[in-house]
């Protein structure tokens, strides 16, 4: 059963949603049947690549037209919500940057089975450690932490590879009506929008998994038994 997630590294609720989803998965009996696929989404593609904005509050105030007091209240609220999920967010250190490179690197990581691991490293770098996730050197180091080959990661980042895949994810999000992230799609039938509680993810996992199991081909063979070997009984 596939769970697809559209999210952006610069979205704090995407980090919280990921954590809540993973906590739900730990409680879910059918977790071994679930495959997660991270999809790209950009909240602000207008930030020039290579440019970093070190003051998150100022960035939100100027780019989104929000009063400083409103921004301050919002960031305090998000920090408290993150803490409840076990996440430390240091908005006084957060750097706003164009996340296109990071999304390309995520597609590379996904091709090596390390998409979720890199996603976690990117979120921690962005919101806890105050690193610039638009910077190639930072991204190469994070790739290495997840087990990716650093030279291969550098080549991806410097070549523009996987840019088409990022664009396809963003277009697909538009096609299915994604207006905000995180956006979780379960087995292409159910969706959860936003960083909802663990219980909401668990309920949707259980519902979609039950239907998925019901749709799987069943073994209706008439079996004629003969001498055979099995892990449990040996050969007889």
């Amino acid at each position: 059963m596939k769970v697809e997630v559209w999210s952006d590294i610069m979205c704090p609720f995407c980090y919280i949603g990921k954590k809540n989803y993973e906590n739900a998965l730990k409680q879910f009996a059918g977790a071994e049947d679930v495959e997660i696929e991270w999809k790209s989404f950009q909240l602000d593609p207008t930030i020039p690549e290579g440019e970093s904005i070190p003051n998150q509050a100022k960035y939100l105030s100027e780019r989104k037209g929000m009063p400083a007091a409103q921004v301050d209240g919002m960031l305090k609220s998000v920090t408290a919500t993150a803490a409840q999920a076990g996440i430390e967010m240091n908005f006084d250190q957060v750097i706003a940057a164009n996340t296109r490179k990071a999304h390309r690197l995520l597609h590379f990581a996904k091709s090596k089975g390390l998409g979720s691991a890199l996603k976690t490293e990117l979120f921690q770098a962005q919101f806890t450690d105050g690193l610039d996730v638009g910077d190639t050197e930072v991204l190469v180091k994070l790739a290495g932490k997840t087990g990716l080959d650093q030279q291969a990661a550098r080549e991806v980042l410097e070549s523009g590879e996987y840019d088409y895949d990022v664009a396809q994810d963003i277009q697909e999000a538009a096609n299915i009506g994604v207006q905000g992230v995180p956006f979780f799609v379960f087995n292409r039938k159910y969706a959860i929008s936003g960083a909802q509680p663990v219980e909401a993810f668990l309920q949707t996992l259980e519902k979609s998994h039950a239907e998925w199991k019901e749709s799987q081909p069943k073994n209706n063979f008439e079996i004629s038994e003969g001498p055979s070997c099995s892990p449990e009984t040996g050969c007889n």
Side-chain angles (χ1 to χ4, degrees):
M1 187 186 86
K2 181 176 282 191
V3 177
E4 299 159 286
V5 190
W6 277 264
S7 70
D8 193 10
I9 300 101
M10 73 183 304
C11 164
F13 287 114
C14 291
Y15 193 5
I16 296 168
K18 179 179 185 293
K19 187 75 169 181
N20 287 348
Y21 166 80
E22 289 171 344
N23 285 336
L25 200 61
K26 290 175 183 177
Q27 303 175 37
F28 177 52
E32 70 279 357
D33 292 330
V34 180
E35 173 192 354
I36 191 166
E37 181 177 356
W38 295 101
K39 300 274 195 174
S40 301
F41 192 96
Q42 280 198 280
L43 289 170
D44 190 354
T46 67
I47 302 175
E49 285 202 16
E51 178 180 312
S52 59
I53 306 169
N55 188 319
Q56 179 77 354
K58 183 179 179 183
Y59 161 75
L60 290 171
S61 182
E62 292 180 352
R63 293 274 178 148
K64 308 301 180 183
M66 300 169 64
Q70 182 182 352
V71 170
D72 184 60
M74 181 186 71
L75 295 182
K76 286 179 179 177
S77 176
V78 175
T79 300
T81 301
Q84 291 175 356
I87 297 170
E88 177 187 355
M89 288 194 177
N90 301 311
F91 281 106
D92 58 331
Q93 301 176 33
V94 169
I95 297 171
N98 190 303
T99 57
R100 190 85 175 196
K101 277 186 182 180
H103 282 296
R104 290 197 290 105
L105 188 63
L106 277 164
H107 273 278
F108 172 59
K110 182 168 69 173
S111 74
K112 305 298 182 182
L114 294 168
S116 289
L118 181 61
K119 194 77 171 181
T120 299
E121 291 292 342
L122 286 166
F123 278 137
Q124 181 171 326
Q126 172 78 2
F127 293 107
T128 305
D129 300 333
L131 300 178
D132 183 353
V133 297
D135 180 80
T136 296
E137 295 306 318
V138 169
L139 292 173
V140 168
K141 289 178 182 177
L142 294 176
K145 286 181 69 175
T146 65
L148 290 167
D149 181 89
Q150 288 187 308
Q151 183 56 36
R154 186 182 298 279
E155 290 171 3
V156 166
L157 293 168
E158 293 178 349
S159 68
E161 192 175 357
Y162 294 105
D163 195 66
Y164 176 79
D165 302 84
V166 174
Q168 284 291 98
D169 283 352
I170 293 171
Q171 183 59 54
E172 187 178 13
N175 292 345
I176 65 174
V178 177
Q179 297 182 340
V181 288
F183 194 84
F184 295 75
V185 177
F186 297 76
N187 213 29
R188 285 285 163 151
K189 183 171 183 181
Y190 300 104
I192 285 181
S193 179
Q196 294 194 29
V198 172
E199 294 74 19
F201 284 109
L202 185 57
Q203 289 172 9
T204 306
L205 279 167
E206 289 171 343
K207 179 167 57 176
S208 55
H209 183 259
E211 294 182 8
W212 174 82
K213 287 274 285 187
E214 186 65 27
S215 69
Q216 298 308 295
K218 295 179 176 59
N219 179 4
N220 295 316
F221 299 142
E222 291 186 11
I223 301 175
S224 175
E225 300 285 355
S228 62
C229 299
S230 76
E232 291 77 19
T233 63
C235 298
N236 53 61

